[in-house]
Amino acid sequence: MKKVIIIGAGPAGLSCAYELSKKGIEVLVYEASNQIGGMSRSFDLWGQIVDLGPHRFFSKQKEVNSFFKELVKDDFTLINRQTRIFYNGKYFQYPLKFSNVIKNLSFVTIIQILWDYLIQIINPIKEPKNLEEWVSNRFGKKLYTIFFKNYSEKLWGIKCTQIDADWAAQRIKTLSLTQAVISALFNNRNNKHKTLVDQFAYPKKGTGTLYEKAAKAIKKQNGEIFLKTPVERILIDDNNHAYGIELKNGSIIKADGVVSTMPLTHLVKGIKNVPSRVSKAINSLYFRNTILVYFEIDGKNLFEDNWLYIHSPKVKLGRITNFRNWCPSLTKGKDTTILALEYWCFDKDNLWNQTDELMINLAKKELSFINLIPQKVKILNSKIVKVPKCYPVYETGYQEKLNITIDFLKNIPNLFPIGRYGAFKYNNQDHSILMGILAANKITNNSQVDLWQINTDTEYQEDGKIKDVLVY
């Protein structure tokens, strides 16, 4: 191929464009928004730098690390990860520490956790079909209700019995309660399960720096990036080849191939004459949105965590990021702290459609309820950022519908759907970068890699066998 169109300027799209442009392919990147970086972008706010929530970087993939190193060079720092879980009015260290667990849970609760786990070992569910069954098999019903149920249902907006076990199998992996207890007893020494990842790399001016540098390199390599240029649909000829795109303004752009990171649902619905079976399948797939409430707080040492998981069912709040605890250069010398409070919802939910003022008031009320910051500390500024279609929802049976869609798209050999949105996969930025790099290799070297299989193998791509345990 001599000319490739890439839809979306996020981690997957830009990593693909970067690799293609290095090899002399003419690259045209079309981004609907006015910024690059997708969900991993950074921006200036109240004289400081923030991201769209927490975005860490670590990988065992040589290609991904090379991409990072080539662009960021030495302009990054290693951050010591500090995260906790807020549950029942208390904060649990993460990774688990035995003394902290004993302190925060009653003796009766601990006995119940162990008893439920013993019962589950004796009588396991042979073929768990949903998140509740899968997690209960690994940790017992009591621990599932403490550290999985409420948070999971906040995030996904459906019951855990409706969340496919496939999601848990991908993200939680091989850890069991026995291994977690042993890890806690020995304070995670010799721990084989690196979620448990204690450090991660982070560009000194925000995670979005990586993609800003990629964009500059792409342009230097004669690629083009068009912002505020949404794509309406992919154009398919009678031979089932993608020959270009139609923009929202009606313009037609032709190319030898198309890489799509737009939401998979949007991609398929835009293709003409899709079989009814495929239309029915794609209509059953859907995404979850995020609302970020940013507060500038008049204080520096509010709490020590990079981010917190809020497991309390009494608040809608799901996660809080404290950017002051990431990298000193983000604050630009200011003595205030910026927090990002995360809420998740669907398009039709009241939360998504209410005014910024009401959303800010809700966030203030819930921040006060969990007693995270002293009452006397002032909130100086606030801002709402809405991010649509952040999380592909793994509802029970989704894989069957996704497979129908994949089989249809595989018949279009020069169309490459990648990324969290494009492949309907709950990627980290590392996975999306890998998808972009491998898509570029497939285009230039005709490699036989199946892009749909990335992030579905039993071996997780980060430095360890699992991502997070008890939280995600």
Side-chain angles (χ1 to χ4, degrees), residues 257-277:
V258 178
V259 176
S260 173
T261 72
M262 71 162 67
L264 184 65
T265 49
H266 188 164
L267 169 67
V268 176
K269 289 175 184 178
I271 297 175
K272 293 182 178 180
N273 302 318
V274 172
S276 59
R277 183 166 176 259

Side-chain angles (χ1 to χ4, degrees), residues 5-32:
I5 288 170
I6 295 176
I7 304 171
L14 289 178
S15 58
C16 184
Y18 175 74
E19 294 297 325
L20 289 175
S21 63
K22 276 202 306 184
K23 296 174 182 178
I25 303 288
E26 182 182 354
V27 173
L28 304 177
V29 181
Y30 292 89
E31 167 60 39

Side-chain angles (χ1 to χ4, degrees), residues 129 162-170 264 277 281-282 284-286 392-407 410 423-426 450 452-457:
K129 294 181 174 58
Q162 296 174 270
I163 302 171
D164 203 294
D166 181 55
W167 183 86
Q170 285 182 34
L264 184 65
R277 183 166 176 259
I282 201 67
S284 70
L285 301 177
Y286 57 100
V393 180
Y394 283 22
E395 188 172 10
T396 304
Y398 87 98
Q399 190 64 59
E400 179 185 352
K401 310 297 189 303
L402 184 58
N403 286 341
I404 291 171
T405 305
I406 292 171
D407 289 342
K410 280 185 174 180
F424 202 81
K425 292 185 183 294
Y426 185 26
D450 187 349
W452 293 101
Q453 293 302 313
I454 298 173
N455 194 31
T456 59
D457 295 335

Side-chain angles (χ1 to χ4, degrees), residues 289-303:
N289 303 334
T290 295
I291 300 174
L292 290 157
V293 183
Y294 291 88
F295 287 139
E296 184 182 18
I297 311 294
D298 188 15
K300 292 194 296 185
N301 301 312
L302 302 180
F303 55 91

Side-chain angles (χ1 to χ4, degrees), residues 59-301:
S59 175
K60 66 180 181 181
Q61 292 288 341
K62 181 178 68 174
E63 303 95 328
V64 177
N65 286 322
S66 294
F67 173 79
F68 182 90
K69 193 69 175 176
E70 277 180 30
L71 292 167
V72 178
K73 296 183 171 55
D74 294 324
D75 194 25
F76 72 94
T77 185
L78 291 176
I79 294 179
N80 293 318
R81 171 176 170 165
Q82 169 66 40
T83 58
R84 287 182 294 176
I85 301 164
F86 180 79
Y87 169 75
N88 201 25
K90 296 179 181 178
Y91 292 91
F92 289 77
Q93 293 291 330
Y94 185 77
L96 294 173
K97 291 184 179 178
F98 187 67
S99 59
N100 180 242
V101 171
I102 294 297
K103 178 182 177 181
N104 284 343
L105 293 179
S106 69
F107 178 74
V108 172
T109 301
I110 293 170
I111 294 300
Q112 189 174 354
I113 287 172
L114 297 175
W115 177 253
D116 282 1
Y117 181 57
L118 179 61
I119 291 174
Q120 206 70 40
I121 291 176
I122 295 171
N123 187 29
I125 300 168
K126 292 183 179 180
E127 294 184 6
K129 294 181 174 58
N130 57 57
L131 180 64
E132 180 173 306
E133 292 177 349
W134 196 97
V135 174
S136 296
N137 255 9
R138 293 298 179 99
F139 298 96
K141 197 65 175 284
K142 183 63 178 179
L143 199 60
Y144 153 75
T145 60
I146 294 175
F147 290 115
F148 286 89
K149 187 178 188 299
N150 292 317
Y151 186 85
S152 299
E153 292 180 355
K154 278 187 200 178
L155 177 59
W156 299 112
I158 56 178
K159 299 294 183 183
C160 286
T161 52
Q162 296 174 270
I163 302 171
D164 203 294
D166 181 55
W167 183 86
Q170 285 182 34
R171 304 295 286 196
I172 303 172
K173 298 298 180 189
T174 58
L175 198 80
S176 69
L177 180 58
T178 300
Q179 293 161 321
V181 169
I182 292 172
S183 175
L185 282 168
F186 293 97
N187 287 324
N188 300 301
R189 288 196 296 272
N190 300 318
N191 189 2
K192 296 179 181 179
H193 299 280
K194 293 284 186 182
T195 166
L196 307 178
V197 175
D198 295 323
Q199 280 191 330
F200 57 90
Y202 187 78
K204 292 180 180 179
K205 294 182 180 179
T207 193
T209 304
L210 175 60
Y211 307 106
E212 291 163 7
K213 289 179 179 293
K216 288 180 181 178
I218 291 164
K219 292 174 183 177
K220 190 175 181 179
Q221 290 155 188
N222 298 317
E224 294 185 82
I225 299 175
F226 303 92
L227 301 180
K228 296 190 289 186
T229 312
V231 173
E232 180 66 25
R233 62 173 56 86
I234 307 293
L235 302 174
I236 311 294
D237 64 21
D238 294 337
N239 295 318
N240 231 27
H241 275 66
Y243 67 89
I245 59 173
E246 179 184 343
L247 302 178
K248 283 278 188 183
N249 64 14
S251 301
I252 303 296
I253 313 296
K254 295 184 178 181
D256 301 311
V258 178
V259 176
S260 173
T261 72
M262 71 162 67
L264 184 65
T265 49
H266 188 164
L267 169 67
V268 176
K269 289 175 184 178
I271 297 175
K272 293 182 178 180
N273 302 318
V274 172
S276 59
R277 183 166 176 259
V278 177
S279 292
K280 184 177 180 181
I282 201 67
N283 284 329
S284 70
L285 301 177
Y286 57 100
F287 292 83
R288 189 88 161 141
N289 303 334
T290 295
I291 300 174
L292 290 157
V293 183
Y294 291 88
F295 287 139
E296 184 182 18
I297 311 294
D298 188 15
K300 292 194 296 185
N301 301 312

Side-chain angles (χ1 to χ4, degrees), residues 295-339:
F295 287 139
E296 184 182 18
I297 311 294
D298 188 15
K300 292 194 296 185
N301 301 312
L302 302 180
F303 55 91
E304 61 188 4
D305 308 82
N306 308 122
W307 66 89
L308 290 168
Y309 298 96
I310 311 301
H311 282 231
S312 171
K314 296 180 180 179
V315 295
K316 296 179 180 179
L317 174 61
R319 185 167 60 178
I320 302 176
T321 306
N322 185 338
F323 291 103
R324 190 165 194 90
N325 295 338
W326 285 64
C327 181
S329 55
L330 295 184
T331 66
K332 297 183 178 180
K334 293 196 69 176
D335 291 333
T336 58
T337 298
I338 296 180
L339 304 179

